Amino acid sequence: MKQRIFYVLFACTVLSSCVKQTKLFNGKNLKGWYAYTDIDKKRVPPESNFVVSDGLIRLYGDKLGYLMTEQSYQNFELTLDFRWNIDKRYFRNNNVKNSGVMYHIPENVPDVLWPRGIQFQIKQGSTGDFVLLDSLTLTVRGVTNPAGKSVVVARERDNEKSTGEWNTIKIVSQNGDCWQYLNGILINSGTNASVKKGRILLQYEGVPIDFRNILLKKR
């Protein structure tokens, strides 16, 4: 019996070690990403609009837009850190700080502000809301949202840190079911998304924001 337990534990260890985390951001450059902005209105090299420094992706400037992964992903755990950039060299006195992380963006949708997909809303007072874009549907707490251009489904609780502090996001996607965590707490979840895989996007909506430690683990 003891020998059998040992082999079971050994097999579990081997399997878990085979599940590798992929760095979507290597801390040095934006390889694997492209940029799109409201001014360029086409795919452009990411470094032409956004900055990598000190191991961070720093989104700021006059052009609204995003960074998009070149690859699509299905059934994953995505973790990353974000903070609002309050450095006076970049800071803008916007009334509402607003950004987001999008996922399940189909490969065949055009580049626009903003494409079809699910957004983990990053916004003062509502970080963790689902924003379902371009007719994407999701069942949350037993209710499937009507398809629309931009549908917000509020998080169940707040857990964002003070402005300027680092926050950790985790997004879990499994066969169309989605869980959104903020700083270790589950704050929103849904099932049966109408799109179950796709690319990942970091939004820049005019308020400087930093990202780091962008890791993806396949499930």
Side-chain angles (χ1 to χ4, degrees):
M1 183 66 178
K2 289 183 179 180
Q3 189 176 25
R4 183 179 178 183
I5 293 173
F6 170 79
Y7 282 122
V8 170
L9 292 174
F10 177 76
C12 291
T13 301
V14 170
L15 287 172
S16 63
S17 66
C18 293
V19 178
K20 295 182 180 180
Q21 282 190 330
T22 300
K23 288 185 177 182
L24 297 188
F25 170 53
N26 61 22
K28 299 176 182 179
N29 55 50
L30 293 170
K31 182 179 180 181
W33 300 77
Y34 71 86
Y36 176 88
T37 73
D38 61 339
I39 303 299
D40 298 301
K41 297 189 182 302
K42 62 180 181 180
R43 296 187 183 189
V44 294
E47 287 85 358
S48 65
N49 287 281
F50 303 118
V51 174
V52 173
S53 67
D54 302 320
L56 311 178
I57 296 176
R58 318 204 77 177
L59 307 186
Y60 60 86
D62 296 326
K63 298 179 181 180
L64 305 184
Y66 52 75
L67 289 171
M68 179 91 79
T69 59
E70 295 172 350
Q71 292 189 34
S72 290
Y73 302 94
Q74 182 178 12
N75 297 340
F76 59 81
E77 292 182 15
L78 172 68
T79 59
L80 57 86
D81 301 328
F82 80 88
R83 71 175 179 188
W84 298 111
N85 182 348
I86 56 176
D87 189 316
K88 292 182 179 179
R89 293 174 295 175
Y90 313 114
F91 180 70
R92 294 182 174 187
N93 190 24
N94 297 71
N95 291 328
V96 178
K97 293 177 174 58
N98 193 9
S99 181
V101 176
M102 290 189 64
Y103 55 104
H104 289 192
I105 302 169
E107 292 182 351
N108 60 351
V109 300
D111 283 299
V112 295
L113 298 185
W114 305 99
R116 189 179 197 208
I118 301 175
Q119 180 189 153
F120 186 122
Q121 175 80 283
I122 301 175
K123 185 177 182 180
Q124 286 183 308
S126 56
T127 295
D129 289 359
F130 284 118
V131 183
L132 308 169
L133 294 160
D134 192 15
S135 300
L136 191 145
T137 58
L138 182 70
T139 301
V140 181
R141 295 182 284 280
V143 178
T144 301
N145 64 281
K149 182 178 180 180
S150 179
V151 178
V152 177
V153 184
R155 72 230 169 277
E156 295 188 71
R157 56 186 62 84
D158 296 317
N159 201 35
E160 185 175 2
K161 296 180 182 178
S162 300
T163 300
E165 293 187 51
W166 285 105
N167 294 267
T168 299
I169 283 174
K170 181 169 77 169
I171 297 167
V172 180
S173 172
Q174 185 71 35
N175 298 325
D177 298 341
C178 307
W179 296 264
Q180 297 191 159
Y181 296 80
L182 182 62
N183 299 317
I185 301 296
L186 178 64
I187 58 173
N188 221 344
S189 61
T191 61
N192 197 32
S194 56
V195 176
K196 297 175 173 57
K197 66 177 182 178
R199 295 167 292 167
I200 294 166
L201 176 158
L202 305 179
Q203 287 185 318
Y204 174 62
E205 297 195 39
V207 181
I209 188 169
D210 299 332
F211 293 96
R212 69 178 185 185
N213 298 332
I214 306 174
L215 302 172
L216 185 137
K217 180 170 67 175
K218 293 183 179 179
R219 291 171 60 87

